[in-house]
Amino acid sequence: MYHSVRADPPPATHALSVHPDRFAAQLDALVELGLTPVPFGALVAHWRGVADLPARPVVLTFDDGYADFHTEVLPRLVERELTASLFVTTGWLADAGPADRAGSPLDATLSWTQLKEIEAAGIETGGHSHSHAALDAVRPAVLGDELARCRDLLEDRLGRPEQVFCYPFGYSDARVRAAVRTSGWTGACAVANTLARVDQGPYGLARLTIRRRTDLPTFRRLVAGVGVTRHYLADRALTKGYAVVRRTRASLSARPMLSAKPTLSAGPTPSPRPTPTREQDRP
Ligand SMILES: [Zn+2]
């Protein structure tokens, strides 16, 4: 699971934005290891018994629809004749009409014209909701609207039926999964940070978070399925550690509003979503 590939990302996406040179090295490592990228839809079709896959398939996913997919990711995929799946938050798109604009993108986003070019280059695109809402936490009417607007815009503007979906933040529950299924999507991606298995079902593809700090030896081990559980346990601890450091620094800074209310004794703020299968997809 990727989000952004940029040399100099803004702070909001920094932790999940991979340097372009490292991304290129990761693609080369996949090829060298004999892995073949396939679109998520092909994996879903295989799981449903209607398609064959290469011997060692891997699905490369990109969430949110940042503009760097067009400038940094696409050329590196095309150069190597590799494919991927891109999940777009329709209300975030750069040229969304005034009535369609929704949510707050964390960085520059793709345009509809670029999405057409990306699809023409053999990249699968799919839905990632309309405003990037946490779908397990919204009212039923909002859930329906988030899915319908996303699906209808993608189908109308790109002229093909929607196939695959990706839950914003990876959050889903039985209600969300049922709504995605009845909206016509054949499969959906979660996060989970474990290897994908058929028993997770087509509406709960587990993915591995690739972060800016994921170095090449680690990447090679993860895609080979080695030490995945151990890595993400350590990764979670490290993320939590950094969060404490950030909060501590903030509390010790010269800002009177913060120093007036020390947070040192309060400890880390409890995560509102502690379930490990629901890792937030932005820092
Ligand atoms: Zn997202």
Side-chain angles (χ1 to χ4, degrees):
M1 176 182 74
Y2 293 96
H3 284 76
S4 156
V5 173
R6 265 190 77 161
D8 190 18
T13 61
H14 189 272
L16 291 176
S17 182
V18 174
H19 192 284
D21 294 344
R22 187 171 275 180
F23 176 66
Q26 291 171 352
L27 293 180
D28 292 338
L30 292 176
V31 173
E32 192 197 315
L33 291 165
L35 290 152
T36 306
V38 299
F40 174 43
L43 178 65
V44 171
H46 179 72
W47 280 352
R48 293 181 187 280
V50 295
D52 291 329
L53 286 183
R56 301 193 66 199
V58 61
V59 180
L60 306 179
T61 65
F62 294 81
D63 288 14
D64 297 349
Y66 296 115
D68 57 55
F69 189 93
H70 191 262
T71 54
E72 305 292 346
V73 178
L74 186 61
R76 288 170 175 82
L77 291 174
V78 168
E79 190 186 340
R80 293 165 179 80
E81 298 184 350
L82 302 178
T83 192
S85 299
L86 167 70
F87 297 102
V88 176
T89 302
T90 42
W92 281 11
L93 286 168
D95 54 354
D100 292 330
R101 214 159 287 154
S104 308
L106 304 177
D107 196 359
T109 51
L110 295 162
S111 69
W112 284 108
T113 308
Q114 289 172 327
L115 269 185
K116 284 178 188 161
E117 280 176 38
I118 287 164
E119 281 210 340
I123 306 300
E124 176 180 60
T125 65
H128 193 46
S129 84
H130 186 65
S131 76
H132 208 281
L135 298 178
D136 62 332
V138 297
R139 287 179 290 110
V142 176
L143 172 61
D145 190 55
E146 284 283 342
L147 298 181
R149 292 184 76 181
C150 175
R151 179 199 59 205
D152 293 349
L153 279 165
L154 285 166
E155 291 188 343
D156 290 349
R157 299 295 294 264
L158 300 176
R160 84 289 182 279
E162 267 288 280
Q163 299 284 344
V164 286
F165 188 79
C166 175
Y167 309 112
F169 311 102
Y171 300 160
S172 75
D173 55 18
R175 179 186 68 127
V176 172
R177 290 191 289 274
V180 166
R181 188 173 62 242
T182 55
S183 297
W185 281 289
T186 62
C189 294
V191 179
N193 284 322
T194 60
L195 294 178
R197 294 189 318 270
V198 67
D199 62 2
Q200 291 154 355
Y203 291 94
L205 178 78
R207 296 182 294 166
L208 305 178
T209 308
I210 304 302
R211 300 179 189 281
R212 193 168 195 84
R213 66 167 181 260
T214 309
D215 60 24
L216 195 57
T218 304
F219 180 86
R220 293 177 67 103
R221 279 198 303 277
L222 292 174
V223 297
V226 176
V228 171
T229 305
R230 193 171 61 243
H231 172 78
Y232 284 102
L233 282 174
D235 187 79
R236 267 195 286 279
L238 201 57
T239 306
K240 209 170 177 181
Y242 283 151
V244 172
V245 169
R246 279 197 308 275
R247 276 191 290 274
T248 305
R249 278 182 187 152
S251 73
L252 295 173
S253 75
R255 295 169 64 187
M257 289 301 286
L258 285 170
S259 56
K261 192 181 177 188
T263 56
L264 277 173
S265 59
T269 306
S271 164
R273 300 180 186 279
T275 313
T277 55
R278 292 174 161 195
E279 174 160 321
Q280 195 167 337
D281 74 349
R282 42 179 152 160

